[in-house]
């Protein structure tokens, strides 16, 4: 089992940047596929980006491709999401997720961090 805590959200103007962090507990962080999802009120949680256990492969939603970068530092038990060229439609509650088998249906979630992009 892994516990996750997100941080780094905030208010930013359109075109700006933010870096989200997700700190994981335990010594087996590198056993998990990791992912970022986001959710806005009244909508389902949607996939943003995922990374394999080794960190060699990543995948992005089309809406963020070329603007967001997912990365992990297993020595620090931390997952990152670098978000550049932010748009108002990126406004959402961002969650990190972890799963030993895949990144598209995590079993473990953090509590979320709010990102608000003003126009």
């Amino acid at each position: 089992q892994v516990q996750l805590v997100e941080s780094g959200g905030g208010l930013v103007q359109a075109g700006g940047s933010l870096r989200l962090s997700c700190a994981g507990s335990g010594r087996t962080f590198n056993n998990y596929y990791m992912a970022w999802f986001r959710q806005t009120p009244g909508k389902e949680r949607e996939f943003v980006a995922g990374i394999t256990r080794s960190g060699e492969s990543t995948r992005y939603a089309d809406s963020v491709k070329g603007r967001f970068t997912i990365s992990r530092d297993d020595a620090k038990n931390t997952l990152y999401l670098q978000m550049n060229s932010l748009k108002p439609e990126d406004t959402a509650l961002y969650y990190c997720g972890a799963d030993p088998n895949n990144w598209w249906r995590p079993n473990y979630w953090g509590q979320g961090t709010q990102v608000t992009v003003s126009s």
Side-chain angles (χ1 to χ4, degrees):
Q1 189 171 356
V2 62
Q3 294 180 327
L4 304 170
V5 178
E6 302 95 335
S7 62
L11 174 63
V12 63
Q13 288 188 334
S17 298
L18 281 176
R19 188 175 80 156
L20 305 184
S21 298
C22 172
S25 64
R27 295 178 291 176
T28 59
F29 190 78
N30 59 353
N31 286 348
Y32 294 91
Y33 288 81
M34 303 294 297
W36 289 97
F37 284 67
R38 66 187 182 186
Q39 189 171 23
T40 54
K43 293 188 176 181
E44 291 188 358
R45 196 171 296 187
E46 66 171 0
F47 172 80
V48 175
I51 189 167
T52 56
R53 288 174 291 193
S54 66
E56 291 181 354
S57 294
T58 58
R59 184 165 294 177
Y60 298 91
D62 288 343
S63 58
V64 307
K65 205 171 292 184
R67 300 187 298 121
F68 290 11
T69 303
I70 187 172
S71 62
R72 64 191 297 162
D73 185 341
D74 290 339
K76 296 182 179 180
N77 282 6
T78 303
L79 176 74
Y80 302 100
L81 185 68
Q82 178 66 44
M83 305 186 295
N84 299 328
S85 302
L86 282 161
K87 304 175 181 180
E89 51 264 43
D90 294 319
T91 295
L93 188 60
Y94 283 71
Y95 297 90
C96 70
D99 192 276
N101 299 309
N102 64 77
W103 59 40
W104 55 87
R105 197 162 53 194
N107 272 322
Y108 305 104
W109 295 96
Q111 83 291 346
T113 186
Q114 178 68 38
V115 171
T116 302
V117 184
S118 63
S119 57

